[in-house]
Amino acid sequence: MMTSSSSSNSFRLGVDGGGTHTRAALTDAAADAQGNVLAEGHAEAANLVRVGLPAAINNIQRAVNEACDKLNINAERITSACFGLAGVGNAKHHAAMLAALQNVFPHVALRLETDARIALAGATDLQPGVVIIAGTGSISCGINRAGKFARAGGWGPVMGDEGSGSYIGRRALEAVVMAFDQRGAPTSMTAEVLRQFGVTAAPELPPVIYDASPEERQLIQQKISQLSRVAVQCAQAGDWVATQILQAASLELARAACAVITQLDLNHTRFPVAYVGGVFEAGELMIAPLRAEIQRVAPQAELGAPLYSPMVGAVKLAQQTL
Amino acid sequence: MMTSSSSSNSFRLGVDGGGTHTRAALTDAAADAQGNVLAEGHAEAANLVRVGLPAAINNIQRAVNEACDKLNINAERITSACFGLAGVGNAKHHAAMLAALQNVFPHVALRLETDARIALAGATDLQPGVVIIAGTGSISCGINRAGKFARAGGWGPVMGDEGSGSYIGRRALEAVVMAFDQRGAPTSMTAEVLRQFGVTAAPELPPVIYDASPEERQLIQQKISQLSRVAVQCAQAGDWVATQILQAASLELARAACAVITQLDLNHTRFPVAYVGGVFEAGELMIAPLRAEIQRVAPQAELGAPLYSPMVGAVKLAQQTL
């Protein structure tokens, strides 16, 4: 007979599922708001648009099972859960994912949110405020004292994601070919961008980028997104073109955050604006223009790091469910 | 026995092969520079990057055969040819296409150029000058009195094509979601853009755009490119957001043209700059900012319509070959 390593009878689950990773956290269902995470589990992507619904559900189950295994409990002892998943921002995807989750976790009071919503919950610890998320994609969202939620951005790489890693990487690539054409200023990004694509001159880039098979296309997109690191390194070393790209990205993120602030009528109040995501590893290069622009429309806004992770945000929202 | 309907012994061939259409023209090989086109043939795309090399070659053969059939001649009576094809801008694709064409037309003195190069040849009637091409993609190129050739742009939708139909269409789509988010000003483009994608509100756009199968993806790209017409119509009706998009596109095209002008050291000479492609159907909305910007760096540049079509440009280049 199995004996549980936990003395608790029931558990609360928070899941953060993005385009590359899924994280699951379990807390004691009886714990207060500061309840510690008892166990975590990890798996690959849970974005149904990217990997398809079956793979997304499979990865979610794997992350949850790993967390349960660590506590030596059965998943049936989870009583409430919040799933914060990329790709469920529209009604059709939300409905499909919710039905699939209910099927897999039939005994759980469950709540399905976007990955942005749980990042907000974690970043502000459920208090009114705004979050700016800039990883591969970008989005800003917030909530005010009246509980009104608003968002801007997050429309994906074709029509949105301004200021994100893929936006910065694409701009870096454009800057390299513009410099080659003498349409734009020379940039120190050239050598590293060419190296990343395994070519020695700009005219060799088009076959690498456009002849990719459907399977390779995802990899090419990732490579372009990762060029954002090249832009950051070159900007930090003083490259003017790279600095301009990061400044433009920063202003696009500010534009989204300001739209959220104005939609929520927060302009004349004091509230936190948290920044989340790999793009902010650039530090003040990204953050300084963002802060200046946000404080122009909301002078009492306080830009800072998030209080808790999106995964903990999900646990906190799961608690709100009951 | 077949008898030829033409009294000429030999013929000259010009082919203009793009991403959607291929056009072939035959002239008398003994004709002078103004030699009239005796017959034309048409077929679908000849861009090997888009449709693959076998399909591109097949469409080129179909267009040439149609022109030959109209004159009731055998293709072996073609002595010189110039093929101006999209997608052969880099060495690897050029070599593959040239080998394939030599295999299909073994008796012909043939020359393979990009579609931009033949457009230039036609636009300026082989004289020094610059051409700006803005259809689905965009590129500028030119040639100076010393025979030096230069180009800018034409790097494809991922890293170039600024100012093209796909650039304008994408900007229109972005403007619609920005207006929805209150990140950007409202725009009259919204209703028509939503209608084109068969949805009633912006949040329904992501599944239509991102859930497309690999086969549908090309169609989605075409639809986005065609939104440039919506931008033009709305700008003509006075929409501010649409007008800004066309102005930005126009300045990007000017940027490419100015890079070519400077590379060719044409800034202080009198020369023609011809505009070619669907984007210019917008008229002065696109052309006026372009003219102003070009004349800022080259005051004697004369912006105007092309003298001859790219297809005739190809015939003229075929003549240069011998």
Side-chain angles (χ1 to χ4, degrees):
Chain A
M1 273 181 67
M2 297 274 275
T3 54
S4 169
S5 66
S6 170
S7 60
S8 174
N9 283 318
S10 58
F11 296 87
R12 190 179 294 148
L13 170 67
V15 174
D16 172 21
T20 36
H21 297 289
T22 299
R23 295 173 186 82
L26 288 171
T27 65
D28 191 319
D32 64 10
Q34 303 307 319
N36 290 325
V37 170
L38 301 174
E40 286 187 32
H42 295 87
E44 279 100 67
N47 182 335
L48 83 167
V49 178
R50 292 218 182 166
V51 300
L53 184 55
I57 283 287
N58 185 43
N59 286 335
I60 291 166
Q61 282 190 284
R62 284 177 47 220
V64 173
N65 288 342
E66 186 182 311
C68 287
D69 287 350
K70 285 184 185 170
L71 288 185
N72 195 20
I73 63 161
N74 191 298
E76 287 182 12
R77 286 175 62 192
I78 297 166
T79 50
S80 65
C82 175
F83 299 83
L85 306 182
V88 302
N90 71 80
K92 183 185 149 197
H93 293 158
H94 191 280
M97 178 56 87
L98 186 60
L101 288 171
Q102 281 169 333
N103 184 46
V104 173
F105 302 100
H107 306 296
V108 180
L110 68 81
R111 177 170 178 175
L112 175 59
E113 299 284 353
T114 63
D115 53 340
R117 182 69 189 83
I118 62 163
L120 173 65
T124 66
D125 195 12
L126 303 179
Q127 296 307 300
V130 172
V131 69
I132 303 167
I133 308 167
T136 304
S138 72
I139 189 169
S140 180
C141 64
I143 198 160
N144 66 13
R145 211 155 286 281
K148 181 184 172 187
F149 176 81
R151 49 155 292 285
W155 294 90
V158 172
M159 56 187 164
D161 285 353
E162 290 86 358
S164 68
S166 56
Y167 169 98
I168 294 170
R170 188 181 156 131
R171 285 289 185 100
L173 192 55
E174 287 169 357
V176 166
V177 301
M178 284 206 175
F180 177 86
D181 284 350
Q182 301 178 34
R183 269 186 296 165
T187 168
S188 63
M189 293 186 289
T190 296
E192 184 58 22
V193 166
L194 297 180
R195 204 187 65 80
Q196 299 257 339
F197 285 98
V199 300
T200 54
E204 298 164 34
L205 286 170
V208 175
I209 288 171
Y210 298 114
D211 295 358
S213 66
E215 304 83 56
E216 294 167 328
R217 215 165 277 165
Q218 184 95 1
L219 186 67
I220 293 287
Q221 281 306 319
Q222 271 176 31
K223 274 196 176 183
I224 293 173
S225 184
Q226 283 160 6
L227 295 182
S228 60
R229 292 188 197 146
V230 177
V232 170
Q233 282 157 13
C234 291
Q236 282 168 342
D239 186 84
W240 182 82
V241 175
T243 305
Q244 293 297 107
I245 291 172
L246 293 190
Q247 180 137 19
S250 187
L251 293 180
E252 286 290 353
L253 295 175
R255 191 178 178 187
C258 290
V260 170
I261 289 166
T262 303
Q263 283 182 60
L264 295 176
D265 198 20
L266 290 171
N267 309 62
H268 305 291
T269 66
R270 176 180 297 273
F271 64 96
V273 179
Y275 46 79
V276 177
V279 161
F280 296 106
E281 288 166 17
E284 282 298 306
L285 260 172
M286 281 299 292
I287 296 166
L290 184 58
R291 184 187 292 116
E293 194 63 15
I294 288 173
Q295 291 185 340
R296 210 170 54 81
V297 307
Q300 297 176 70
E302 289 177 342
L303 194 66
L307 294 174
Y308 296 102
S309 71
M311 183 184 70
V312 171
V315 176
K316 286 171 180 282
L317 286 174
Q319 183 179 12
Q320 274 194 333
T321 309
L322 291 186
Chain B
M1 271 182 72
M2 298 275 270
T3 54
S4 168
S5 66
S6 171
S7 59
S8 173
N9 283 317
S10 59
F11 297 86
R12 190 180 291 149
L13 169 68
V15 174
D16 172 21
T20 36
H21 297 290
T22 299
R23 295 172 185 83
L26 289 171
T27 65
D28 191 317
D32 65 8
Q34 302 307 318
N36 290 324
V37 170
L38 300 175
E40 284 187 34
H42 296 87
E44 278 100 65
N47 183 335
L48 83 168
V49 178
R50 293 218 182 166
V51 300
L53 184 55
I57 284 287
N58 185 43
N59 286 334
I60 290 166
Q61 281 191 284
R62 285 177 47 220
V64 174
N65 288 341
E66 187 182 310
C68 288
D69 286 352
K70 285 184 184 170
L71 288 185
N72 197 21
I73 63 161
N74 190 299
E76 288 181 11
R77 285 177 62 195
I78 297 166
T79 50
S80 66
C82 174
F83 298 83
L85 306 182
V88 301
N90 71 78
K92 184 184 149 199
H93 291 159
H94 191 279
M97 179 57 86
L98 186 61
L101 288 172
Q102 280 169 333
N103 185 47
V104 173
F105 301 100
H107 307 296
V108 179
L110 67 81
R111 177 169 177 174
L112 174 60
E113 299 284 353
T114 64
D115 52 341
R117 182 70 190 81
I118 61 163
L120 172 65
T124 66
D125 194 13
L126 302 179
Q127 295 306 301
V130 172
V131 69
I132 303 167
I133 308 168
T136 304
S138 71
I139 190 168
S140 181
C141 64
I143 198 160
N144 66 13
R145 212 156 285 280
K148 181 182 172 188
F149 176 80
R151 49 154 292 284
W155 294 91
V158 171
M159 56 186 163
D161 285 353
E162 290 85 358
S164 68
S166 56
Y167 170 99
I168 295 170
R170 189 181 157 130
R171 285 286 185 100
L173 192 56
E174 287 168 358
V176 166
V177 302
M178 284 207 174
F180 178 85
D181 284 350
Q182 300 177 37
R183 269 186 294 165
T187 167
S188 63
M189 293 185 289
T190 296
E192 184 58 23
V193 166
L194 296 179
R195 204 186 66 79
Q196 298 257 341
F197 285 98
V199 302
T200 55
E204 298 164 32
L205 285 171
V208 175
I209 288 171
Y210 297 115
D211 295 358
S213 66
E215 303 83 55
E216 294 166 330
R217 214 165 279 165
Q218 184 96 359
L219 186 67
I220 293 288
Q221 282 306 319
Q222 271 176 32
K223 274 195 176 184
I224 292 173
S225 183
Q226 283 160 6
L227 294 181
S228 59
R229 292 187 197 148
V230 177
V232 169
Q233 281 157 14
C234 290
Q236 283 168 341
D239 185 84
W240 182 82
V241 175
T243 305
Q244 294 297 108
I245 291 172
L246 293 191
Q247 180 138 18
S250 187
L251 293 180
E252 287 290 353
L253 296 175
R255 191 177 177 186
C258 290
V260 170
I261 289 167
T262 303
Q263 284 181 60
L264 296 177
D265 198 20
L266 290 172
N267 309 63
H268 304 291
T269 65
R270 178 180 296 272
F271 64 97
V273 179
Y275 47 79
V276 178
V279 161
F280 296 105
E281 288 165 17
E284 282 299 306
L285 260 172
M286 282 299 292
I287 295 166
L290 184 57
R291 184 187 291 117
E293 195 63 16
I294 288 173
Q295 291 185 340
R296 211 169 53 81
V297 307
Q300 297 175 70
E302 288 176 343
L303 194 66
L307 294 174
Y308 295 101
S309 71
M311 183 184 70
V312 171
V315 175
K316 286 170 181 281
L317 286 175
Q319 183 179 10
Q320 275 195 332
T321 308
L322 291 187

